[in-house]
Amino acid sequence: YLDSADHRMGVIAVVGLLVFVGAVIGLERALNPDLTGAALMVTGVVLSIVPAAIWLFFFYLQDRLEPEPVGHVARMFVIGLALAGAVGIPLTDQLFRVQEWLYRDTLTQALGAVFVLGGVEAFIIFATVRYFIFDSPEFDERADGVVYATAAALGYATALNLQFILSSGGAELGGAEVFVAEVALAQAAFGGLLGYFL
């Protein structure tokens, strides 16, 4: 159950994320940047990592009984990010070619999102936790599954978000940041649920 400290941390995380998204939208409107090359890469990395970091910090703080080592949590994030870039995204984009058929109609979109995109993403998150931390002595309670799977899921979300921002050419960064924040929250929620049952 959540106590008042949990609620405060949740509110702080949401407010922090809203402030960050608002700042990005405000800066984009005020400066109207034309980002290319290294500037686009750095901006993409920052915009992809900050929402994931905010949610990871929030979920990490929920594990108060026996907090996990920060290095293990960071490792799950990095492995989730790497596996998303090396396996997950290539599978969905190049093998299943979801962009070519996913948005044809509502039924195709729902089935493709659940069984193809969701299946690949959930398997990568599961595999990250199962094969890289599950047998560790540190993995000894349900909250550990939530923390580690959330970290892996946020790594996956960061890879998706970085791909999205870089492929969009940096146009409309404010709108992209809203999308990035949603992807990070959704992946954190799905990863946390998967980790709970793992």
Side-chain angles (χ1 to χ4, degrees):
Y1 91 103
L2 298 175
D3 63 14
S4 63
D6 293 328
H7 289 294
R8 277 195 304 274
M9 285 308 302
V11 168
I12 289 169
V14 170
V15 168
L17 192 57
L18 290 174
V19 166
F20 179 71
V21 170
V24 169
I25 291 170
L27 284 172
E28 182 202 14
R29 289 189 178 162
L31 302 175
N32 197 17
D34 183 24
L35 300 173
T36 58
L40 176 60
M41 178 65 84
V42 169
T43 302
V45 169
V46 170
L47 294 181
S48 298
I49 288 179
V50 170
I54 289 170
W55 287 120
L56 187 56
F57 181 71
F58 169 72
F59 281 98
Y60 181 78
L61 290 179
Q62 303 310 305
D63 186 20
R64 287 191 301 263
L65 291 178
E66 191 180 321
E68 299 312 299
V70 174
H72 287 358
V73 175
R75 187 171 142 240
M76 290 299 98
F77 176 86
V78 170
I79 293 170
L81 173 73
L83 287 177
V87 178
I89 293 172
L91 269 176
T92 58
D93 289 0
Q94 296 168 10
L95 181 64
F96 293 113
R97 300 183 178 277
V98 294
Q99 296 302 325
E100 295 175 10
W101 56 266
L102 185 64
Y103 301 105
R104 288 185 184 157
D105 57 64
T106 306
L107 180 62
T108 302
Q109 185 173 2
L111 293 174
V114 171
F115 293 109
V116 177
L117 293 174
V120 169
E121 292 170 8
F123 177 74
I124 296 294
I125 294 163
F126 166 81
T128 301
V129 176
R130 177 62 184 94
Y131 297 109
F132 291 95
I133 197 73
F134 187 79
D135 292 328
S136 166
E138 292 295 335
F139 197 106
D140 58 359
E141 60 183 357
R142 284 200 192 273
D144 298 348
V146 172
V147 170
Y148 289 131
T150 299
L154 286 169
Y156 201 110
T158 301
L160 289 172
N161 289 334
L162 185 57
Q163 177 197 34
F164 171 74
I165 289 173
L166 295 177
S167 68
S168 72
E172 298 182 33
L173 291 176
E177 189 54 29
V178 172
F179 174 83
V180 165
E182 290 172 355
V183 169
L185 177 57
Q187 289 289 349
F190 300 145
L193 185 62
L194 187 149
Y196 178 82
F197 287 103
L198 183 62

